[in-house]
Amino acid sequence: MMKIDLHAHIKLSKKTEFSIDYFKASIHEAAQNGLDAIAMTEHFNTYRFHDIYEALDRHYTYQEDYYDVEGFKVFPGMEVDVQFGGHILVIGSRKSILELRSRLEPHTSADDFVAFSQLLDWCDELSLLRIGAHPHRESNPLTQHDIATLRRLDCFDLNAKDVYSYGPGMRETVMGLGQKIGIPVVAGSDTHHPLQFGSVLNELDGDYTTVADLRACLKEGRYRIEVSDCLETKVKAASLVKKLLKKNGIADVAQWIGK
């Protein structure tokens, strides 16, 4: 079995620089919360996106479709804004993610986000897993898009932040959307701070090393979602500490998570 978070950020915010120490602290905390893997879905238009992969290439071995971080798997990915609203998580090989990021270079500003259908076409071409992030979030929903387009997604995201913000009924709401569209629902913490890891996760039926196998597992429903009894505390604590760190311009989180 493998426990994975399919929506994880490894920077404090879009505007901060990538820090290998912050990354290490994040992975340490994820492992401490029972995770074996994450999908590293940093925002595609985050500051100096390519610094992330250059740093990971210097520090870790990349094999099959993941970085091996002392036995912990980190699958490459991005969170992409699309035209007319909504965020899509894309997960794939390092080569495919970097190729997609190159194609998205003209679409990094809000007035020129990529068309949803174009993004999905590229995902088809590059064999990327695609997940509709926080589909019912009022500030950036996905439900305004037509059903035919939504059916081209692989999954919807049961987002820990939304469960915290809207209450536990959000799980049934997202599950209902998945049933209506005909695609599964998977869990993602949407963390930007390590304290939020473990709020939700997916327990898969096997230990997967390629995105193709991971996608098949999810599409075939060979997993179960775990929602922590401490979700509210984890999300609230992470949000408060993130705000404090941003206010003070601090990116080193070791002191905040007990390392």
Side-chain angles (χ1 to χ4, degrees):
M1 293 187 296
M2 182 170 80
K3 293 186 177 182
I4 186 170
D5 184 339
L6 290 164
H7 188 170
H9 298 273
I10 43 75
K11 292 178 62 180
L12 185 67
S13 72
K14 282 187 182 183
K15 295 181 180 180
T16 57
E17 294 186 0
F18 176 75
S19 162
I20 195 66
D21 290 333
Y22 191 97
F23 176 81
K24 289 177 179 178
S26 296
I27 299 306
H28 174 82
E29 192 71 7
Q32 289 293 106
N33 278 275
L35 286 160
D36 306 299
I38 63 167
M40 182 176 62
T41 52
E42 196 52 67
H43 291 283
F44 82 112
N45 54 358
T46 194
Y47 177 66
R48 295 180 65 90
F49 177 88
H50 292 88
D51 286 2
I52 299 169
Y53 287 88
E54 290 171 6
L56 295 188
D57 286 342
R58 288 194 301 269
H59 285 85
Y60 303 108
T61 300
Y62 179 82
Q63 56 193 40
E64 297 190 81
D65 286 342
Y66 67 94
Y67 286 97
D68 184 347
V69 183
E70 298 179 1
F72 190 99
K73 296 180 179 68
V74 176
F75 291 90
M78 290 188 294
E79 183 170 5
V80 182
D81 296 68
V82 295
Q83 194 176 46
F84 305 126
H87 290 179
I88 308 302
L89 309 175
V90 296
I91 303 164
S93 69
R94 175 180 59 183
K95 180 179 180 181
S96 293
I97 291 297
L98 293 176
E99 171 60 26
L100 179 61
R101 178 59 183 80
S102 177
R103 297 183 190 187
L104 289 168
E105 187 59 38
H107 303 287
T108 56
S109 61
D111 59 352
D112 200 17
F113 287 150
V114 68
F116 194 175
S117 59
Q118 177 64 81
L119 177 66
L120 292 170
D121 287 346
W122 285 338
C123 288
D124 285 342
E125 182 183 341
L126 297 169
S127 300
L128 296 171
L129 170 64
R130 52 284 188 102
I131 301 170
H134 40 72
H136 283 287
R137 185 173 293 177
E138 291 177 3
S139 62
N140 209 340
L142 271 173
T143 50
Q144 70 276 18
H145 294 283
D146 65 87
I147 289 178
T149 304
L150 292 175
R151 282 188 176 136
R152 295 182 63 190
L153 295 169
D154 293 309
C155 311
F156 286 120
D157 169 42
L158 176 63
N159 190 282
K161 286 184 180 178
D162 286 3
V163 175
Y164 169 71
S165 298
Y166 300 104
M170 178 55 72
R171 180 171 184 170
E172 286 68 38
T173 300
V174 177
M175 290 293 184
L177 178 64
Q179 291 175 357
K180 175 183 176 181
I181 302 299
I183 62 175
V185 171
V186 298
S189 68
D190 198 4
T191 184
H192 283 79
H193 187 280
L195 291 175
Q196 199 164 307
F197 278 119
S199 51
V200 295
L201 58 82
N202 307 277
E203 185 178 279
L204 313 185
D205 69 341
D207 183 14
Y208 297 105
T209 59
T210 70
V211 172
D213 287 343
L214 178 60
R215 181 176 184 267
C217 171
L218 299 175
K219 295 285 284 183
E220 294 167 12
R222 294 183 279 109
Y223 67 96
R224 68 182 186 89
I225 292 173
E226 289 185 13
V227 177
S228 172
D229 292 338
C230 301
L231 180 145
E232 183 175 352
T233 301
K234 285 179 173 293
V235 177
K236 186 175 183 178
S239 177
L240 290 173
V241 175
K242 177 187 173 184
K243 288 178 182 178
L244 181 60
L245 291 171
K246 288 176 69 177
K247 180 180 179 181
N248 290 280
I250 301 170
D252 181 3
V253 299
Q255 61 180 310
W256 296 95
I257 61 174
K259 284 193 69 181

